[in-house]
């Protein structure tokens, strides 16, 4: 199935029910007063993030989700039944925008999170409500208000701690298979991976992180070459990028350093902010060369790229070096979250002391 990570839908809250115009009709009560009840509220439309949905394919065809209307009010002061709310399931990581204004309405990142996207209309007043000292037999009623109507843009951005980046065939999917239970397809032709997949990397003692495998990038991707760069959006929620470089590409003309620079250039075109995130160099397929030769080439690649962050020399196929890589990633993420927690605490203290300070 084609991977869908953008979709448009329409949502509409239910119409409020009409208020009732009714008068008491009872034996021995000649002029019964008004007793028309209010209309019920229309149902609202809500989006709900659920597990196990990992594309927006259900919304490939633009559809309208409409909540039911409220029932009209009736005599004897009876309020009409409210329309039921309509809940539409979306994948975790769905960003929701108003298609007309572009305003972000919400970002559903947690299981079960709900977002109200179209409020149901209020029910109209029954004639009882219009009773006054001058009008004791009102015939007016409220018509019930229409439900809110909106066009929405949905965008899926998967939620992962670490993202993989690299040319097609660099070995991204092989790496995620080596360190997690995820089983994306691996093959010796470019663009094997057509959509992102996630793997949970367990590093023992209840410590784990989520890695995102995405399609490969090629030169001109920003202009649409290969699979383009749209799927780089799935790296936007990650705190660390692993840039995979094939140490011994089969094409004798290929230069891993030139290719690595090209990847970073494409990344910048997509998002300069993303290009500034921590990015580690992971030189893969070391098993293709004798150990010494691999180490020498790896040093040269790091030097020529003037790469200052951490780098690793691994073989995703044999697993050599992958455990160390996973451990280092885990430590990095833990340190970062400890720092973030400390900063949040310090900020909290700052606010508290400012509030406590005498005027
Ligand atoms: N010898 C060797 N081959 C590897 C290694 N890692 C990956 N390969 C091979 O390289 C080819 C491409 O691997 P993939 O994991 O599919 O590469 P990818 O980066 O996911 O490629 P795309 O999904 O097309 O972007 C496959 O034939 C793998 O078996 C490695 O460490 N050593
Ligand atoms: Mg792949």
């Amino acid at each position: 199935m084609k991977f869908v990570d953008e979709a448009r839908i329409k949502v509409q809250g239910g119409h409020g029910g009409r208020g009732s115009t009714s008068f008491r009709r009872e034996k021995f009560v000649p002029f019964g007063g008004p007793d028309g009840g209010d209309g019920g509220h229309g149902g609202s439309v809500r989006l709900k993030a659920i597990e196990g949905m990992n594309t927006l394919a259900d919304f490939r065809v633009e559809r309208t989700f409409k909540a039911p209307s409220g029932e009209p009010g009736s005599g004897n002061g009876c309020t009409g039944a409210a329309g039921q709310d309509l809940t539409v399931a979306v994948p975790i990581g769905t960003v929701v925008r108003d298609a007309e204004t572009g305003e972000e309405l919400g970002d559903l990142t947690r299981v079960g999170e709900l977002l109200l996207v179209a409020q149901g209309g209020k029910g109209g007043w029954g004639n009882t409500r219009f009773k006054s000292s001058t009008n004791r037999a009102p015939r007016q009623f409220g018509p019930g208000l229409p439900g809110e109507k909106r066009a929405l843009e949905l965008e899926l951005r998967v939620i992962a701690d670490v993202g993989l980046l690299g040319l097609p065939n660099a070995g991204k999917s092989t790496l995620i298979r080596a360190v997690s239970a995820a089983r994306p397809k691996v093959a010796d032709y470019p663009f094997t991976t057509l959509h992102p997949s996630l793997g949970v990397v367990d590093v023992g003692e209840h410590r784990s992180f989520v890695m995102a495998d995405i399609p490969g990038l090629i030169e001109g991707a920003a202009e649409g070459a290969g699979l383009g760069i749209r799927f780089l959006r799935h790296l936007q929620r990650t705190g660390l990028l692993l840039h995979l470089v094939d140490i011994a590409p089969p094409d004798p003309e290929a230069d891993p350093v030139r290719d690595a620079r090209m990847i970073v250039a494409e990344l910048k075109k997509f998002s300069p902010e993303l290009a500034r995130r921590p990015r580690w160099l992971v030189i893969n397929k070391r098993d293709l060369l004798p150990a010494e030769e691999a180490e020498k080439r790896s040093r040269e690649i790091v030097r020529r790229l003037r790469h200052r962050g951490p780098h690793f020399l691994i073989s995703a196929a044999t697993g050599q070096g992958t455990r160390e890589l996973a451990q280092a990633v885990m430590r990095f993420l833990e340190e970062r979250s400890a720092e973030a927690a400390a900063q949040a605490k310090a900020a909290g203290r700052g606010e508290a002391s400012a509030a406590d300070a005498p005027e």
Side-chain angles (χ1 to χ4, degrees), residues 27 32 35 48 103 105 149 200 203 212 223 241 246 248 305 351 358:
K27 236 178 177 176
D35 71 352
K48 182 178 185 181
E103 181 199 356
L105 304 176
K149 225 172 162 175
V200 178
V203 288
E223 288 78 47
L241 305 180
D246 185 342
L305 279 173
E351 265 168 39

Side-chain angles (χ1 to χ4, degrees), residues 167-174 185-193 213 215-216 284-285 287-288 315-317:
L167 281 181
N169 278 342
K172 300 178 292 298
S173 302
T174 310
K185 192 168 154 192
V186 164
D188 62 356
Y189 54 82
F191 304 118
T192 310
T193 301
D213 178 23
N284 187 30
K285 309 198 188 180
D287 59 294
L288 291 176
S315 166

Side-chain angles (χ1 to χ4, degrees), residues 46-307:
R46 302 178 303 176
L47 304 186
K48 182 178 185 181
I50 63 156
E51 254 173 325
M53 221 175 144
N54 40 30
T55 86
L56 291 170
D58 286 3
F59 308 107
R60 208 166 3 184
V61 179
E62 188 169 329
R63 282 167 60 190
T64 300
F65 294 88
K66 192 171 182 295
S69 301
E71 297 285 335
S74 53
N76 219 355
C78 284
T79 302
Q84 283 220 339
D85 285 350
L86 176 67
T87 305
V88 180
V90 296
I92 299 167
T94 301
V95 182
V96 185
R97 272 186 298 268
D98 185 306
E100 268 152 44
T101 62
E103 181 199 356
E104 185 172 314
L105 304 176
D107 184 2
L108 298 158
T109 56
R110 282 172 290 116
V111 183
E113 208 174 334
L114 286 165
L115 179 70
L116 177 74
V117 285
Q119 180 84 53
K122 280 214 169 84
W125 277 4
N127 64 341
T128 318
R129 303 254 201 181
F130 294 91
K131 190 166 93 174
S132 66
S133 55
T134 52
N135 186 357
R136 295 209 251 154
R139 300 207 147 263
Q140 297 106 304
F141 65 92
L145 298 178
E148 209 179 348
K149 225 172 162 175
R150 254 191 178 136
L152 302 179
E153 265 169 22
L154 307 181
E155 181 191 340
L156 176 61
R157 293 184 198 165
V158 300
I159 297 176
D161 302 301
V162 186
L164 300 179
L165 186 69
L167 281 181
N169 278 342
K172 300 178 292 298
S173 302
T174 310
L175 175 61
I176 205 168
R177 287 175 74 109
V179 294
S180 78
R183 288 288 163 264
K185 192 168 154 192
V186 164
D188 62 356
Y189 54 82
F191 304 118
T192 310
T193 301
L194 296 174
H195 57 80
S197 62
L198 301 178
V200 178
V201 182
D202 258 309
V203 288
E205 299 157 35
H206 306 292
R207 293 156 76 219
S208 66
F209 61 86
V210 177
M211 189 182 260
D213 178 23
I214 65 164
L217 270 186
I218 58 170
E219 186 148 26
E223 288 78 47
L227 296 178
I229 52 171
R230 298 174 39 237
F231 54 78
L232 287 178
R233 80 181 65 191
H234 296 292
L235 299 181
Q236 282 173 319
R237 298 192 200 262
T238 65
L240 174 65
L241 305 180
L242 299 181
H243 182 169
L244 260 76
V245 173
D246 185 342
I247 198 171
D251 176 1
E253 303 279 285
D255 173 3
V257 172
R258 196 196 71 85
D259 288 340
R261 287 199 190 111
M262 179 279 292
I263 294 279
V264 176
E266 296 295 334
L267 185 65
K268 271 192 191 135
K269 285 188 217 164
F270 175 77
S271 157
E273 192 273 322
L274 193 57
R276 282 194 297 272
R277 298 253 176 105
R279 179 166 14 95
W280 294 358
L281 200 56
V282 177
I283 300 170
N284 187 30
K285 309 198 188 180
R286 67 168 301 165
D287 59 294
L288 291 176
L289 300 171
E292 262 177 41
E293 170 76 12
E295 277 155 26
K296 193 174 138 237
R297 271 208 213 179
S298 154
R299 276 196 300 275
E300 206 177 297
I301 292 173
V302 173
R303 183 183 57 75
R304 284 181 56 207
L305 279 173
R306 296 203 191 92
H307 179 78

